[in-house]
Amino acid sequence: MSAKADFNNWLDRINKTETVDDRIIALNFGLFEAENGYTLYLTGSECFDEEDDTWATNIDFEPKEKYFVLSSSLVKGKEWQEVLTVSKELVTEYLNAVNLSNTIFKHVKAITIGFDDGNLIRIKP
């Protein structure tokens, strides 16, 4: 199975097993580097501030399968900026390919991505 398919399956599993309360208005795909490579995680918040990224530290939703280790085939030898670009493309392609009305993403007003110690990039709207 391809790394992209693994990522899509991760989000599909979350969509099948989790529900997000209408109070969750923003979802964030966080990124960090660990000893074994780069990892993505998903959290949600009841608050969102376009001017202040600290909203993402207010975690009101965490799926049981919160973490996804990025395949080395996607990120091996890449600088952090390239890892961020690859990750953003994975999320964007997934969101563009699925019917959002059947997902945890349907009510949120913002979806972002970024490294824990960096700025967030808004993916949606």
Side-chain angles (χ1 to χ4, degrees):
M1 188 176 295
S2 75
K4 183 177 171 182
D6 287 343
F7 175 80
N8 291 344
N9 288 337
W10 172 62
L11 287 181
D12 285 344
R13 285 191 304 275
I14 290 172
N15 281 314
K16 286 180 183 142
T17 60
E18 302 282 346
T19 55
V20 174
D21 189 295
D22 288 352
R23 294 175 301 195
I24 302 299
I25 62 169
L27 292 170
N28 181 55
F29 287 89
L31 267 166
F32 63 90
E33 185 176 12
E35 286 181 27
N36 60 341
Y38 290 94
T39 299
L40 262 173
Y41 63 89
L42 178 63
T43 58
S45 177
E46 293 178 5
C47 61
F48 173 73
D49 185 341
E50 207 166 331
E51 306 298 319
D52 183 1
D53 288 346
T54 59
W55 68 266
T57 62
N58 183 47
I59 299 171
D60 299 305
F61 166 75
E62 285 182 286
K64 286 180 183 70
E65 194 177 345
K66 178 179 176 179
Y67 297 100
F68 180 79
V69 177
L70 290 166
S71 168
S72 62
S73 66
L74 288 173
V75 297
K76 188 174 183 177
K78 290 184 169 42
E79 296 293 322
W80 70 267
Q81 299 94 329
E82 296 170 294
V83 172
L84 179 58
T85 299
V86 166
S87 300
K88 181 183 176 211
E89 288 169 0
L90 282 172
V91 173
T92 302
E93 286 177 22
Y94 181 86
L95 294 174
N96 289 336
V98 298
N99 177 354
L100 294 183
S101 66
N102 298 322
T103 70
I104 62 170
F105 306 105
K106 64 183 170 188
H107 293 295
V108 298
K109 72 177 197 180
I111 299 172
T112 60
I113 191 167
F115 276 94
D116 286 351
D117 54 356
N119 295 328
L120 298 179
I121 299 168
R122 192 153 177 190
I123 295 175
K124 179 191 175 193

